[in-house]
Amino acid sequence: STLFPYTTLFRSNLVFREAGDLFEVGNFAEAAARYRHLLTLIPNHPQIMAALGNTEMALGDFNHAILLFQESLAVHRSQPDVWCNMARALRQVGRREEALRSVDNALSLASDIFEAWTCRGNVLWDMGRVDDALEAYDRASVLRPEDARAHFNRGNALQKLLRRNEAIESFLRAVALSPGYGEAHKNLALALAALGRYDDALVAIDRALACGCDGGDVHDARGQILHGLGRFDEAILELSRFVAIDPKSPVAYNNRGVSLHAAGRLEEALTDFDNAIALDPSYGDAIVNRGTLLKDFGLLSDAAATYEQALRVAPGHFEANWNIGLLALMCGDFTAGWSRYEWRWKSKVQAGDYIQTPRPQWRGEDIAGKTILLWWEQGYGDYIQFCRYVPLVAKMGARIILETPPRL
């Protein structure tokens, strides 16, 4: 190894500590200047290159940070923290596969690094591998159970997987550990609202606002919660704050339009849907909502054309297909109507309400000698009305198990 005069090493240690202190207080530019100076005194020093990489990452120059981490690892590969930080930088520039390999290298060197498991979860989340992300977040929460971020990340993954009660538990743990964690309060509110617990959701979203979360997404969430409570006028006011904060957001206009529609303010709702579509012509939800409004105006052919427009920009849009089916049924076209009505299952799957069974759905094939479960899918009126078809199924030779609502 290269030997340096004692005075050079002593001065370098002082400068290295100064740079670290500057980094800790957020003076990243000065810290970077110190680290660069050190590299002129001790070229290719792995710790100094890694420290400069961290500083460049803090300054937002992720590509330069990646190069510095690579140079540091070329000199000394057994640095799990450097592998982890390089993974974070790679993630920032969208190089996800490389990021995953980098963080896995970190964990192969040391399997008990909280930041590495968190980083791995974040990369997997970005890749859409939510189950694997949850596993990583679980490992992070075990390593550092007192860290609110670990429970927050875990809650987000559980919510994405529609495991909402577990998500609520994780968010509650996060806010218990960090009562000022506004994002956790907000996501707790969204999870509660998804279960129809709107009163509890309103308390949670108000806590998010009290913590200083005042972005458009928070006002959007609060507006939708108020909508769920049937307090449409208050929802409109809240969603108007979202529009004021982000007047270029098509979501803001669409969501306010939904509440205006529910409040019976149809002309204003139509204007909002038109604004949303003007900002994003491929916004399928807004186009469908516009079609539903036209249907309520009694303009059935215009509504059908609007749903077809939605399908041109979003061919798999389940509500567009479903609403076309409903219109067909209203017009007496039962063949097309019942076929499109099957799209409702897409909605139920996404909402987590679809009956969970490994058994196949009956598609009209021969069921003689088989057992069939007829389950309660919709409201009491639909249940009672369609029970008259049970004897017809029985005549087909099947053994019937009929699920009945508890109140009936």
Side-chain angles (χ1 to χ4, degrees):
S1 60
T2 305
L3 296 176
F4 297 96
Y6 175 77
T7 53
T8 300
L9 289 174
F10 181 74
R11 186 167 70 252
S12 297
N13 284 334
L14 287 175
V15 176
F16 191 81
R17 285 198 295 271
E18 287 175 5
D21 291 341
L22 288 164
F23 183 93
E24 289 299 321
V25 298
N27 194 341
F28 303 125
E30 284 297 320
R34 297 286 202 286
Y35 289 132
R36 292 191 196 99
H37 173 66
L38 282 172
L39 286 173
T40 66
L41 298 174
I42 313 176
N44 300 318
H45 191 287
Q47 284 182 286
I48 299 172
M49 288 189 290
L52 179 56
N54 292 338
T55 309
E56 293 291 1
M57 191 159 58
L59 288 166
D61 191 345
F62 300 107
N63 286 310
H64 189 203
I66 292 165
L67 290 173
L68 286 161
F69 292 139
Q70 289 172 335
E71 290 171 2
S72 174
L73 290 164
V75 177
H76 181 47
R77 291 185 61 80
S78 297
Q79 300 181 85
D81 57 328
V82 180
W83 284 110
C84 179
N85 288 335
M86 185 164 73
R88 292 169 56 209
L90 287 163
R91 178 186 175 229
Q92 289 295 326
V93 296
R95 294 161 61 178
R96 294 168 185 165
E97 294 289 348
E98 294 171 84
L100 186 58
R101 287 194 294 271
S102 186
V103 75
D104 283 347
N105 284 336
L107 290 166
S108 71
L109 293 166
S111 62
D112 60 349
I113 303 176
F114 168 81
E115 293 294 349
W117 283 111
T118 299
C119 178
R120 190 173 201 275
N122 292 340
V123 173
L124 291 164
W125 173 275
D126 292 346
M127 296 170 77
R129 294 169 54 182
V130 183
D131 284 298
D132 293 330
L134 177 60
E135 183 180 342
Y137 293 143
D138 283 342
R139 294 290 295 269
S141 65
V142 169
L143 286 168
R144 200 180 292 177
E146 76 285 356
D147 194 299
R149 287 180 303 156
H151 299 284
F152 175 72
N153 290 334
R154 187 172 182 275
N156 289 336
L158 289 163
Q159 173 76 337
K160 187 75 172 178
L161 294 168
L162 304 181
R163 292 163 58 180
R164 295 191 177 108
N165 285 310
E166 294 171 86
I168 289 167
E169 290 177 11
S170 285
F171 291 135
L172 285 171
R173 180 65 177 153
V175 298
L177 289 165
S178 180
Y181 200 164
E183 281 293 309
H185 285 293
K186 183 196 79 174
N187 288 5
L188 170 61
L190 293 172
L192 289 164
L195 290 177
R197 295 172 56 183
Y198 294 112
D199 288 311
D200 294 331
L202 186 60
V203 172
I205 201 67
D206 284 345
R207 285 176 180 159
L209 285 164
C211 291
C213 279
D214 196 31
D217 59 335
V218 181
H219 292 288
D220 180 34
R222 192 171 192 274
Q224 294 193 61
I225 290 164
L226 288 165
H227 182 105
L229 288 166
R231 293 159 60 177
F232 302 126
D233 290 336
E234 293 172 81
I236 292 163
L237 289 173
E238 199 67 47
L239 291 163
S240 294
R241 294 186 180 100
F242 183 18
V243 172
I245 291 168
D246 192 356
K248 300 285 188 184
S249 169
V251 174
Y253 290 102
N254 176 69
N255 291 355
R256 187 175 66 178
V258 171
S259 289
L260 285 164
H261 187 179
R265 294 161 61 176
L266 304 187
E267 294 288 349
E268 295 169 85
L270 183 60
T271 299
D272 265 358
F273 294 141
D274 286 342
N275 285 334
I277 296 165
L279 287 165
D280 181 2
S282 65
Y283 191 3
D285 286 353
I287 299 171
V288 168
N289 289 334
R290 187 179 191 276
T292 301
L293 186 64
L294 292 171
K295 183 183 72 174
D296 288 353
F297 274 129
L299 304 172
L300 301 188
S301 60
D302 290 339
T306 304
Y307 293 141
E308 294 291 354
Q309 177 191 350
L311 290 177
R312 285 194 292 274
V313 300
H317 199 290
F318 69 85
E319 286 188 352
N321 280 287
W322 186 18
N323 279 298
I324 290 171
L326 291 174
L327 280 177
L329 291 173
M330 289 173 65
C331 296
D333 185 353
F334 298 117
T335 300
W338 288 125
S339 175
R340 293 272 193 167
Y341 194 67
E342 290 297 292
W343 276 87
R344 74 195 186 282
W345 297 116
K346 298 288 185 180
S347 173
K348 290 182 179 296
V349 168
Q350 291 192 16
D353 294 334
Y354 184 79
I355 187 170
Q356 300 300 313
T357 174
R359 304 301 181 187
Q361 187 177 0
W362 182 40
R363 296 292 184 182
E365 68 274 12
D366 181 21
I367 53 173
K370 297 181 180 180
T371 299
I372 184 169
L373 169 66
L374 303 179
W375 65 286
W376 170 42
E377 179 198 339
Q378 299 189 15
Y380 296 116
D382 286 315
Y383 178 83
I384 293 168
Q385 177 188 175
F386 284 95
C387 273
R388 70 182 188 272
Y389 291 105
V390 174
L392 297 178
V393 179
K395 287 180 180 179
M396 299 177 75
R399 172 178 174 264
I400 295 173
I401 299 173
L402 180 64
E403 182 190 48
T404 305
R407 291 181 64 184
L408 297 180

